[in-house]
Amino acid sequence: MSVVGKRVIRSEAADRVKGAGLFTDDYKYHGMLHAAVVRSPIARGEIKKISSDSILRHEGVKGVFTYKDIPGKNCIPIVIDDQPFLAEKFVNYISEPIGVVVADDRRSARAAAKKIELNIKPLTPLLDPLQSRNHPDIHLFGNDNIFKQMRIVRGDAAKAFKGCDVIIENEYRTPYQEHAYIEPQAMIAIPYPDGSIEIRGSMQCPFYVRKAITTILGLAESKVRVIQCATGGAFGGKEDVPSLLACQVALPAWKLGRPVKLVYDRSEDMISTSKRHPAWVHYKSGATKEGILRAVEAEYVIDGGAYATLSAVVLFRGTAHSVGPYRCENVNVKTYAVATNKVPTGAFRGFGSPQILFAVESQMDQLAERIGISPLEFRKRNILRVGDTTVTGQKLENSVGLEETLDKVVQVSGWSPKASKEDGVGYGLSTIYYGVGLGAGGKALARTGARVILHADGSALFSVGTTEIGQGMTTVLSQITADELGLPLKSVGMLPTDTSRVPDSGPTVASRSTLMSGNALKDACIKIKSVLLEEASLLTNHPISEISIDEGSVFAGNDKLPLLNVIKSCSLKRLPLSAEGWVISPPASFDDSTGQGDAYIVYAWATNLAKVKVTRETGEVTVLKLWSAHDVGKAINPALVEGQIEGGALQGIGYALMEDMTADKNGAIKNSEFSTYIIPTAEDQPEIIPIIVEHPYPWGPSGAKGFGEQPLMGIAPAIANAVYNACGVRVKELPITPEKIWAGLNK
Amino acid sequence: MSVVGKRVIRSEAADRVKGAGLFTDDYKYHGMLHAAVVRSPIARGEIKKISSDSILRHEGVKGVFTYKDIPGKNCIPIVIDDQPFLAEKFVNYISEPIGVVVADDRRSARAAAKKIELNIKPLTPLLDPLQSRNHPDIHLFGNDNIFKQMRIVRGDAAKAFKGCDVIIENEYRTPYQEHAYIEPQAMIAIPYPDGSIEIRGSMQCPFYVRKAITTILGLAESKVRVIQCATGGAFGGKEDVPSLLACQVALPAWKLGRPVKLVYDRSEDMISTSKRHPAWVHYKSGATKEGILRAVEAEYVIDGGAYATLSAVVLFRGTAHSVGPYRCENVNVKTYAVATNKVPTGAFRGFGSPQILFAVESQMDQLAERIGISPLEFRKRNILRVGDTTVTGQKLENSVGLEETLDKVVQVSGWSPKASKEDGVGYGLSTIYYGVGLGAGGKALARTGARVILHADGSALFSVGTTEIGQGMTTVLSQITADELGLPLKSVGMLPTDTSRVPDSGPTVASRSTLMSGNALKDACIKIKSVLLEEASLLTNHPISEISIDEGSVFAGNDKLPLLNVIKSCSLKRLPLSAEGWVISPPASFDDSTGQGDAYIVYAWATNLAKVKVTRETGEVTVLKLWSAHDVGKAINPALVEGQIEGGALQGIGYALMEDMTADKNGAIKNSEFSTYIIPTAEDQPEIIPIIVEHPYPWGPSGAKGFGEQPLMGIAPAIANAVYNACGVRVKELPITPEKIWAGLNK
């Protein structure tokens, strides 16, 4: 174990610093055309006519494609196949793709796309999910406009409320959040003369993209090869959306036999791609005067936009996390993902949990206050520990470090709820958890492959099916592989993720890459290592049990020899030093109607403590300091874990305080650029104190669990609680803008 | 077994007919530069100065590179590391690479390369291998200018000759043969910002190329990725030479950080790349009057040119095949590969055996005539059969179909040695054999990997480390894979051969692809199929023993269900449907000093009967008809076997009658274009009757052995024997030109 646990520099760091990384737009192919998308100007309507003939006469324009040109099925397959690749008879949201124009250059393509004449008869749109749900007349999805509904029923909440000494009931609202990845969506399709097609682009989920292409082109999976380019951020925004872009380039490329590239500009990206679901939460919680959480009743509605995309699984995670990391025996939670005539919403770091955790943690503080104990003490009395049972009925056997995160935050910060503080300054806590991996909601995809080749010169290459999206997966997996094979880290390299190199390994989402690809790599390395150990045993005359391999050296009893000698000996004997790894996630279960089951294979845990200052004159909130403690099982690379904590915290600060995206009365996203959609910059970053807690997960590689999403999830409620602590204003609708604080202070 | 044995159309046929295949020169990269090679104008000399400064000022020239720029070792690694990538102090053959110029376009690069001023002090070259061998003063290689020498010593030849009734002793000579592939050598290097480099090109042996690049650039194997492009013929000419080209593009690409392409024109290719070794053979054979071959004494010298390249292994094959497919207990053979100051010679279909087989088979006919029996009868009395021992002492256990090939040729042709024939018409026989695979000469490389992924939609993709070079490997391996997995052929596809996809699988030479990659694929498929069978058993309630899978259907007892159902069921259970295959060749052995051992794992066998007409007035030989019977073990695709027979025969006709490449007195190849180097065209093709004989090889896939080279090997001696039969002129030096016949007829 020489490299795992070390703060090694991330693999692609030098490339990024030098600007050398090959992002999608850096690829230029001979004869490549450029695409632009023709989009709906209205939120709901019936397409009467698309006139494109005149466009074809424009300089440089090489083709215009509509649904009529699709050789396969007009569908972007995700969870439910309701979303067309190109609108046929109806449009259902502003910016919905209707056609694709390709031209010799990007400018010509975009100019031509704007000139396509669309004759669309307007229909009344539904823009509010609470109105859309069960709308009597307008049916956007099924008969009730509900993509998915779930429940958690545990104990008897109604009865339990009667025994509660304190009951808190509130409504909470959270807005869109835009991923604001540095690199906008980008994709290239390259058709080959043998009837295959290669897709290269910025993405999280190459296997989703492959499925989209086989669907729209009617091709076998063996004919479609999807390769991830360097990807400049994703955060969930490149889970399902790249499938759309891939289709937008693949169709013209296929039809014209030429490479086609498409890179959205920032505005197109912000208007037309998925965001975090806006949510409405009605939350009622009750506790005894002893500070025991007794009952929860909640209704959670998320606005899915025009098509189902990932809403069903976003809802699953929101539902499973709807009570927070607390013991509670009486629960009645109803959750809904609802269709509206707006841009489809989708995956975003936290995936349906930040919205409801904002409510949960706001409730906890209010309960504590009413009971008359500190938020810290109230949490201490209710948090989950080993041996406890979650709200879904899952018994927690191990790796439950929540209490330690809470204790560490208190200890490191030196904070005490009772300590005196400056005027306008407040502290706020949040304790949260995160179900690692796809869980019961994505069980069928919970398998992952890997491939390792150890060369005769002692260098190794591995391939996995998950992707590097800035989270540091390449580095972490290289560390795992190096240790498993006993190689120095510099001898290990990863190939770009490519669907032709590994079997379908599921998506890169749900903080699953370290866990799943790490385990798959271990599986492959064990096979290779067994060959090396056997050969080392022959060479050294020591039994395998006495042999260890580490950083390029073989230790056998008191002997030491270079691993390269063993590798060369294997090579001479023609022994295979390559292997495939495969891993299936442990079982998970969930009953949609009762919400009971082992929802996830393991949970990561976190406590955040925010110290804020509220300027009474302006209502402005400044986050002064943030302590963020996370039980990650094992930090394969502590520097990367801390980086995730810092990045997630900042994204959480944006969600809490400034990111205010809304749709206008026609259903159009109002904020189409960074001048109107404000995200935190380095200027806004407070001092962040990352704290790593390690309660190893036995099934995880070296004990690691998943981690990428959790840093964002508890930030907004910690800040909201701190704001209340600072100035007595309880804001129940994100973001916590100066206007809302000011209004609260002056009402 | 639905597809194996069938005449399915070759995979790339449509691409080739449409001109759609992506050959190296079809790849155009953004920012790509073009290379040209600076070459030695003299056969031997000392480099005093290379002046390139003025060239750099030429329009479009981007760089000039010499040995000084090589970051790694200045060496093209093949068998012995004697060949520099770029000449340092000495040049050793005309056209030896000294430098590389790169420019914006091909024309500028070539023009600039010609302008480099070279100051080279001439030294006396050695051009004749018989003079070079043990030359007292000039040392081109070691002290004796001998790259390699071998012997076969068996029984006591000197003594045995005393008991022979008939002894025939002759000298034979064979010339260069140029591969004349349709596509000249071509290569591209693409450097990546992460410090890796990709090589794409026309080649047989990607793993050789990788080794060359790691050597000259000093890189780890994991940093070099070599991908074969569609390759327009090879015939051995793209075994080692592509390593040179790869270095010629990799060095400038690495230095300049831009893609670099190099495509030789025909003349550069003919002058500077490897050819079949010219050979000199002294052959003495003795037989009893009963027609039993009793003794052979031979000396075999091949002209290796300036560097060792593959000469040692070419010599091994020539040595092992030096007595032909006959029983002979008393043998004394001495063989030598010798250095000269000419272009290095190398691999060519037959690999050192066609030269000596020309001698062997010419001798056999002469012995028969002197004994007074027919060439057919003489062969009948001496050919190898199951249970016999070869001249290297190898006992033949199985798959010895030589007699059947002889019988079939006689039967199909209706020929009888005693039948009367027209004036000027003659018939000639040859019986030959071919040791399949690398044998003892390349034992360390005799392993091969493969990779198969079966997708959830029932389509499969496989990767191998051997290459498609026109021999039909893709088709044959697809047939094997389809049958092994029980898929329809159309569901199976092969990925381009890529060193990052499979472990080092050795070269694509020695007719080893079907055997080795076929077995490796079988190994992989068996693993996948066992998962399918188990699942099918669960689905059908039949034991695995009752289940078979064929062409997409599963048969279980009387039940039949689509294989896709089983695959989908596996997919739902997340069972892995991908696997690696690995195969190690059975053992082979050879003692260089005695020539004894199991030289090859198995042999393929062939009989050729040529019917020729000699025009007495001109000496011109016309091949009227050719019967060619081959024991291939099993014809996976009979149409492709017949195609190989026809193509090989035509290439053999060229070698026999017209291809007359020589070096001039300065050591320069005289024939630099197809106007001076005459190869057969469709006009020259006689009626060829291919006859397939199948004596299955138990270790081969479906019984197949190797096959690609053998069709050429016995053509020249069959024609020489036919010419003698037609007109009484025994030509002992190839090619059998009209001049030589005329001289023989008129002496």
Side-chain angles (χ1 to χ4, degrees):
Chain A
M1 284 312 188
S2 303
V3 194
V4 163
K6 284 202 181 145
R7 295 170 175 272
V8 303
I9 291 172
R10 59 193 300 163
S11 314
E12 66 281 17
D15 281 9
R16 293 292 177 277
V17 171
K18 291 187 288 182
L22 284 168
F23 293 89
T24 306
D25 205 19
D26 294 325
Y27 286 85
K28 294 175 178 72
Y29 291 89
H30 186 76
M32 187 169 73
L33 302 172
H34 295 263
V37 183
V38 181
R39 299 183 181 278
S40 172
I42 61 170
R44 187 158 169 257
E46 190 180 349
I47 301 173
K48 294 297 184 185
K49 197 169 175 215
I50 306 168
S51 307
S52 64
D53 292 357
S54 66
I55 300 303
L56 281 169
R57 290 191 296 270
H58 275 65
E59 174 100 10
V61 172
K62 288 290 184 291
V64 179
F65 303 90
T66 66
Y67 75 91
K68 290 180 190 161
D69 299 298
I70 300 169
K73 203 174 147 193
N74 184 16
C75 167
I76 303 291
I78 304 177
V79 178
I80 304 162
D81 290 354
D82 65 327
Q83 183 178 19
F85 156 35
L86 295 170
E88 285 194 35
K89 289 208 169 142
F90 295 96
V91 287
N92 282 302
Y93 67 97
I94 288 177
S95 83
E96 178 164 7
I98 295 171
V100 180
V101 178
V102 290
D104 287 333
D105 60 274
R106 196 171 287 170
R107 191 183 294 238
S108 305
R110 287 182 180 168
K114 285 196 186 120
K115 288 184 185 145
I116 302 275
E117 287 165 40
L118 301 171
N119 180 348
I120 305 175
K121 179 187 157 198
L123 299 170
T124 307
L126 292 177
L127 301 177
D128 180 337
L130 298 180
Q131 285 170 11
S132 173
R133 183 169 55 159
N134 297 313
H135 195 284
D137 308 319
I138 303 175
H139 299 308
L140 306 179
F141 185 91
N143 292 323
D144 53 10
N145 297 338
I146 296 172
F147 291 129
K148 179 83 178 177
Q149 53 184 308
M150 302 182 109
R151 286 193 72 174
I152 296 182
V153 186
R154 187 170 176 79
D156 186 337
K159 191 173 152 201
F161 273 115
K162 290 176 188 154
C164 286
D165 301 304
V166 175
I167 294 172
I168 299 287
E169 188 168 2
N170 284 300
E171 273 186 27
Y172 298 87
R173 284 177 191 272
T174 61
Y176 286 116
Q177 188 177 17
E178 161 63 31
H179 305 89
Y181 25 65
I182 289 180
E183 182 207 23
Q185 304 277 351
M187 202 67 60
I188 305 172
I190 308 140
Y192 283 93
D194 67 352
S196 66
I197 189 163
E198 184 175 298
I199 307 290
R200 285 181 182 263
S202 184
M203 67 183 81
Q204 293 178 233
C205 306
F207 296 98
Y208 285 7
V209 171
R210 184 174 71 187
K211 195 175 175 195
I213 302 301
T214 59
T215 301
I216 67 138
L217 294 184
L219 292 176
E221 292 185 16
S222 61
K223 292 289 186 191
V224 181
R225 188 174 159 212
V226 182
I227 303 168
Q228 187 210 13
C229 298
T231 294
F235 307 111
K238 291 173 183 169
E239 177 171 354
D240 57 321
V241 174
S243 298
L244 272 87
L245 275 97
C247 293
Q248 288 159 6
V249 288
L251 177 65
W254 187 252
K255 289 284 181 176
L256 299 173
R258 287 172 68 175
V260 175
K261 185 194 273 188
L262 174 59
V263 181
Y264 284 0
D265 65 19
R266 181 63 64 185
S267 168
E268 181 174 25
D269 196 302
M270 287 180 79
I271 285 174
S272 74
T273 71
S274 81
K275 291 130 204 359
R276 189 187 300 289
H277 290 71
W280 172 87
V281 186
H282 183 110
Y283 213 106
K284 180 179 169 189
S285 356
T288 64
K289 59 181 187 299
E290 291 78 21
I292 302 303
L293 182 68
R294 285 295 308 278
V296 164
E297 218 174 74
E299 193 177 351
Y300 179 40
V301 177
I302 59 174
D303 181 349
Y307 297 106
T309 69
L310 295 156
S311 288
V313 275
V314 167
L315 191 74
F316 165 70
R317 186 170 285 279
T319 307
H321 290 71
S322 62
V323 179
Y326 308 109
R327 294 185 302 274
C328 186
E329 287 307 314
N330 302 287
V331 175
N332 190 351
V333 173
K334 296 175 185 170
T335 64
Y336 305 86
V338 179
T340 59
N341 289 111
K342 291 183 297 189
V343 60
T345 44
F348 195 137
R349 207 175 197 174
F351 205 75
S353 71
Q355 298 97 319
I356 196 150
L357 287 174
F358 169 61
V360 169
E361 292 300 290
S362 296
Q363 291 285 105
M364 289 300 281
D365 264 36
Q366 292 170 68
L367 284 169
E369 184 182 31
R370 282 259 232 107
I371 294 162
I373 60 175
S374 77
L376 170 62
E377 182 54 34
F378 184 53
R379 283 180 174 80
K380 276 277 201 179
R381 292 184 193 173
N382 290 286
I383 54 172
L384 291 165
R385 294 174 175 86
V386 169
D388 285 342
T389 299
T390 70
V391 75
T392 72
Q394 182 170 359
K395 181 114 183 263
L396 299 169
E397 308 280 1
N398 52 50
S399 195
V400 185
L402 182 56
E403 184 163 31
E404 191 182 336
T405 65
L406 189 54
D407 292 346
K408 280 267 169 70
V409 156
V410 172
Q411 179 198 323
V412 172
S413 66
W415 167 71
S416 155
K418 290 164 196 161
S420 64
K421 52 192 176 54
E422 296 167 61
D423 185 46
V425 169
Y427 289 85
L429 267 184
S430 74
T431 42
I432 60 144
Y433 69 157
Y434 178 81
V436 173
L438 300 165
K443 212 158 47 175
L445 307 176
R447 73 291 191 244
T448 296
R451 183 92 191 295
V452 181
I453 300 184
L454 175 57
H455 301 107
D457 70 354
S459 68
L461 265 184
F462 68 86
S463 302
V464 292
T466 51
T467 50
E468 172 64 55
I469 50 174
Q471 82 280 52
M473 180 195 78
T474 311
T475 313
V476 163
L477 297 182
S478 298
Q479 290 176 268
I480 292 171
T481 303
D483 273 7
E484 288 297 324
L485 291 177
L487 291 174
L489 184 65
K490 68 174 168 48
S491 299
V492 175
M494 189 185 96
L495 287 161
T497 301
D498 174 338
T499 57
S500 70
R501 291 187 179 276
V502 280
D504 191 340
S505 298
T508 298
V509 300
S511 307
R512 70 190 285 273
S513 299
T514 300
L515 187 62
M516 296 299 289
S517 288
N519 272 332
L521 283 166
K522 273 183 68 172
D523 184 49
C525 290
I526 284 166
K527 295 172 193 167
I528 295 172
K529 194 165 181 180
S530 76
V531 178
L532 295 174
L533 285 172
E534 200 163 316
E535 192 61 19
S537 168
L538 289 171
L539 288 177
T540 61
N541 280 316
H542 282 274
I544 288 173
S545 59
E546 290 175 11
I547 297 173
S548 65
I549 309 181
D550 193 25
E551 283 210 87
S553 293
V554 176
F555 302 89
N558 292 321
D559 299 343
K560 180 181 170 183
L561 73 160
L563 176 58
L564 199 54
N565 293 13
V566 178
I567 293 170
K568 290 208 159 129
S569 183
C570 291
S571 184
L572 278 173
K573 288 186 181 169
R574 299 175 281 167
L575 302 176
L577 292 178
S578 70
E580 259 199 287
W582 183 253
V583 65
I584 299 177
S585 179
S589 60
F590 194 79
D591 181 329
D592 283 2
S593 59
T594 65
Q596 297 301 288
D598 291 349
Y600 292 95
I601 55 172
V602 71
Y603 296 85
W605 311 88
T607 298
N608 294 286
L609 175 66
K611 179 184 180 185
V612 307
K613 183 175 170 55
V614 177
T615 307
R616 288 185 171 271
E617 293 72 22
T618 59
E620 196 181 4
V621 177
T622 310
V623 182
L624 299 173
K625 197 162 177 177
L626 204 56
W627 293 265
S628 193
H630 293 263
D631 170 19
V632 301
K634 166 75 184 175
I636 306 285
N637 187 325
L640 292 179
V641 169
E642 291 172 2
Q644 287 273 29
I645 292 175
E646 290 173 14
L650 200 58
Q651 208 167 29
I653 289 171
Y655 190 49
L657 298 178
M658 48 189 92
E659 301 186 29
D660 198 7
M661 181 173 270
T662 49
D664 68 16
K665 65 179 181 355
N666 299 316
I669 295 292
K670 278 201 254 182
N671 330 50
S672 67
E673 46 194 36
F674 287 137
S675 57
T676 52
Y677 184 71
I678 310 300
I679 59 171
T681 67
E683 284 280 297
D684 301 294
Q685 182 166 334
E687 190 182 355
I688 298 169
I689 309 296
I691 301 164
I692 297 173
V693 168
E694 294 178 324
H695 287 228
Y697 172 42
W699 192 74
S702 301
K705 303 187 276 198
F707 182 61
E709 296 173 79
Q710 173 172 301
L712 176 148
M713 287 163 46
I715 301 300
I719 290 174
N721 288 338
V723 164
Y724 180 79
N725 184 241
C727 68
V729 177
R730 170 66 59 192
V731 181
K732 296 171 194 158
E733 185 174 346
L734 294 180
I736 305 168
T737 54
E739 292 83 350
K740 290 175 193 165
I741 300 283
W742 201 89
L745 286 170
N746 296 283
K747 79 179 167 200
Chain B
M1 281 313 186
S2 303
V3 193
V4 162
K6 284 202 182 144
R7 296 170 173 272
V8 302
I9 291 172
R10 60 192 300 163
S11 313
E12 66 281 15
D15 281 7
R16 294 290 178 275
V17 170
K18 290 186 288 181
L22 283 168
F23 294 89
T24 306
D25 206 20
D26 295 324
Y27 286 86
K28 293 176 178 74
Y29 290 90
H30 185 76
M32 187 168 74
L33 302 173
H34 295 263
V37 182
V38 181
R39 299 182 180 278
S40 172
I42 63 170
R44 187 161 168 256
E46 189 180 348
I47 301 174
K48 294 296 186 185
K49 197 170 174 213
I50 306 167
S51 307
S52 63
D53 292 356
S54 66
I55 299 304
L56 280 169
R57 291 191 296 269
H58 274 65
E59 173 100 10
V61 173
K62 289 289 185 288
V64 179
F65 303 90
T66 67
Y67 75 91
K68 290 178 189 161
D69 300 298
I70 299 169
K73 204 175 148 193
N74 183 15
C75 168
I76 302 292
I78 302 175
V79 178
I80 302 163
D81 290 353
D82 66 327
Q83 184 178 17
F85 155 36
L86 294 170
E88 284 195 35
K89 289 207 169 143
F90 296 95
V91 289
N92 283 302
Y93 67 98
I94 287 176
S95 83
E96 178 166 5
I98 296 171
V100 180
V101 178
V102 292
D104 287 334
D105 60 275
R106 197 172 286 171
R107 187 183 295 238
S108 305
R110 288 181 179 169
K114 283 193 188 124
K115 288 183 185 148
I116 301 274
E117 287 165 38
L118 302 171
N119 179 349
I120 304 175
K121 178 186 157 195
L123 299 169
T124 308
L126 293 176
L127 301 177
D128 181 337
L130 297 179
Q131 284 170 9
S132 173
R133 183 168 54 158
N134 297 312
H135 195 283
D137 307 319
I138 303 176
H139 300 307
L140 306 180
F141 185 92
N143 291 322
D144 54 9
N145 297 338
I146 295 172
F147 291 129
K148 179 83 179 178
Q149 54 184 308
M150 302 182 108
R151 287 193 71 174
I152 296 182
V153 186
R154 186 170 176 80
D156 186 338
K159 191 174 152 198
F161 273 116
K162 291 175 188 153
C164 287
D165 300 304
V166 175
I167 293 174
I168 299 286
E169 188 169 1
N170 283 300
E171 274 185 25
Y172 298 87
R173 285 178 189 270
T174 61
Y176 286 116
Q177 187 176 19
E178 162 62 32
H179 305 91
Y181 26 66
I182 288 181
E183 181 207 23
Q185 305 276 351
M187 201 68 59
I188 305 173
I190 307 139
Y192 283 94
D194 67 352
S196 67
I197 190 163
E198 184 175 299
I199 307 290
R200 285 181 183 263
S202 184
M203 67 183 81
Q204 293 178 235
C205 305
F207 296 98
Y208 287 6
V209 171
R210 185 175 69 185
K211 194 174 175 194
I213 301 301
T214 59
T215 300
I216 67 136
L217 294 184
L219 292 178
E221 292 184 17
S222 60
K223 291 289 187 191
V224 181
R225 189 173 159 210
V226 182
I227 303 167
Q228 187 209 15
C229 298
T231 293
F235 308 112
K238 292 173 184 169
E239 177 171 357
D240 58 323
V241 174
S243 298
L244 272 85
L245 276 97
C247 293
Q248 289 160 5
V249 288
L251 178 64
W254 187 252
K255 289 281 181 179
L256 299 174
R258 287 173 66 175
V260 175
K261 186 194 270 188
L262 174 58
V263 181
Y264 285 0
D265 65 18
R266 182 63 65 185
S267 167
E268 181 174 26
D269 196 303
M270 288 180 79
I271 285 175
S272 74
T273 72
S274 81
K275 292 129 204 357
R276 189 186 300 289
H277 290 70
W280 171 88
V281 187
H282 182 110
Y283 213 106
K284 180 178 170 188
S285 0
T288 63
K289 60 180 187 299
E290 292 79 19
I292 302 303
L293 182 68
R294 285 295 308 279
V296 164
E297 218 173 73
E299 193 178 350
Y300 178 40
V301 177
I302 59 174
D303 181 351
Y307 297 106
T309 69
L310 295 156
S311 289
V313 275
V314 168
L315 191 75
F316 165 71
R317 184 170 288 280
T319 307
H321 290 74
S322 62
V323 180
Y326 308 109
R327 293 185 301 274
C328 186
E329 288 306 316
N330 303 287
V331 175
N332 189 352
V333 174
K334 295 174 186 171
T335 63
Y336 305 87
V338 178
T340 59
N341 290 112
K342 292 183 297 190
V343 61
T345 44
F348 196 136
R349 206 176 198 174
F351 206 76
S353 71
Q355 297 97 319
I356 197 149
L357 287 174
F358 170 61
V360 170
E361 292 300 289
S362 295
Q363 290 285 106
M364 289 299 283
D365 265 37
Q366 292 170 71
L367 285 169
E369 184 181 32
R370 283 263 230 101
I371 295 163
I373 62 178
S374 77
L376 171 61
E377 182 54 33
F378 184 52
R379 284 182 173 76
K380 276 276 201 182
R381 291 185 195 175
N382 291 286
I383 55 171
L384 291 165
R385 295 173 175 85
V386 170
D388 284 343
T389 298
T390 70
V391 74
T392 73
Q394 181 169 0
K395 182 116 184 263
L396 299 170
E397 307 283 1
N398 52 50
S399 194
V400 186
L402 182 56
E403 185 163 30
E404 189 180 336
T405 66
L406 188 54
D407 292 347
K408 280 265 169 72
V409 157
V410 172
Q411 177 198 324
V412 172
S413 67
W415 167 70
S416 155
K418 292 165 193 163
S420 65
K421 50 191 178 54
E422 298 165 56
D423 185 43
V425 168
Y427 289 85
L429 265 184
S430 73
T431 41
I432 60 145
Y433 69 156
Y434 177 82
V436 173
L438 299 164
K443 213 158 44 171
L445 307 177
R447 73 292 190 244
T448 294
R451 182 90 192 294
V452 181
I453 300 184
L454 176 56
H455 300 108
D457 70 353
S459 67
L461 265 184
F462 68 87
S463 300
V464 293
T466 52
T467 50
E468 171 65 55
I469 51 175
Q471 83 278 51
M473 179 196 78
T474 311
T475 313
V476 162
L477 296 182
S478 298
Q479 288 176 269
I480 291 171
T481 303
D483 272 8
E484 289 295 325
L485 291 178
L487 291 174
L489 184 64
K490 68 174 169 53
S491 299
V492 175
M494 190 183 94
L495 286 161
T497 301
D498 173 339
T499 57
S500 70
R501 292 187 178 277
V502 281
D504 190 339
S505 297
T508 299
V509 300
S511 307
R512 69 189 287 271
S513 300
T514 299
L515 188 59
M516 295 300 287
S517 288
N519 273 333
L521 282 167
K522 273 183 70 171
D523 184 48
C525 290
I526 284 167
K527 294 172 195 170
I528 297 172
K529 195 165 181 180
S530 75
V531 178
L532 295 174
L533 285 172
E534 200 164 314
E535 192 61 20
S537 167
L538 287 172
L539 288 176
T540 61
N541 281 317
H542 282 274
I544 289 174
S545 59
E546 289 175 13
I547 297 174
S548 65
I549 308 181
D550 195 23
E551 284 211 86
S553 294
V554 175
F555 302 88
N558 292 323
D559 299 342
K560 179 180 170 183
L561 73 160
L563 176 57
L564 200 54
N565 294 10
V566 178
I567 293 170
K568 291 209 159 128
S569 182
C570 291
S571 183
L572 277 175
K573 288 185 181 171
R574 299 175 282 167
L575 302 175
L577 292 178
S578 71
E580 261 200 284
W582 184 252
V583 66
I584 300 176
S585 178
S589 60
F590 195 79
D591 180 329
D592 282 4
S593 59
T594 65
Q596 297 302 288
D598 291 349
Y600 291 95
I601 55 172
V602 71
Y603 296 84
W605 312 88
T607 298
N608 294 287
L609 176 65
K611 178 183 180 187
V612 306
K613 181 171 171 60
V614 176
T615 307
R616 289 183 170 274
E617 294 71 21
T618 59
E620 195 181 6
V621 177
T622 309
V623 182
L624 299 173
K625 197 163 178 174
L626 204 55
W627 294 264
S628 193
H630 294 263
D631 169 20
V632 300
K634 165 74 184 177
I636 307 284
N637 186 324
L640 292 179
V641 169
E642 291 172 3
Q644 287 273 28
I645 293 174
E646 290 174 12
L650 200 59
Q651 208 167 27
I653 289 171
Y655 190 50
L657 298 178
M658 49 188 93
E659 301 186 31
D660 198 6
M661 181 172 272
T662 49
D664 68 16
K665 65 178 181 1
N666 299 315
I669 295 293
K670 278 202 254 182
N671 331 48
S672 68
E673 47 195 35
F674 287 136
S675 59
T676 53
Y677 184 70
I678 310 300
I679 58 171
T681 67
E683 284 281 296
D684 301 294
Q685 181 166 333
E687 188 180 357
I688 298 168
I689 309 293
I691 301 163
I692 296 171
V693 169
E694 294 177 325
H695 287 229
Y697 172 41
W699 192 75
S702 301
K705 303 187 278 200
F707 182 62
E709 297 172 79
Q710 171 171 301
L712 176 148
M713 286 162 47
I715 301 299
I719 290 174
N721 288 338
V723 164
Y724 180 81
N725 183 245
C727 69
V729 177
R730 171 63 60 191
V731 181
K732 296 170 195 158
E733 185 174 345
L734 294 180
I736 305 167
T737 54
E739 291 82 352
K740 291 176 191 162
I741 302 282
W742 200 88
L745 287 169
N746 296 286
K747 76 177 168 201

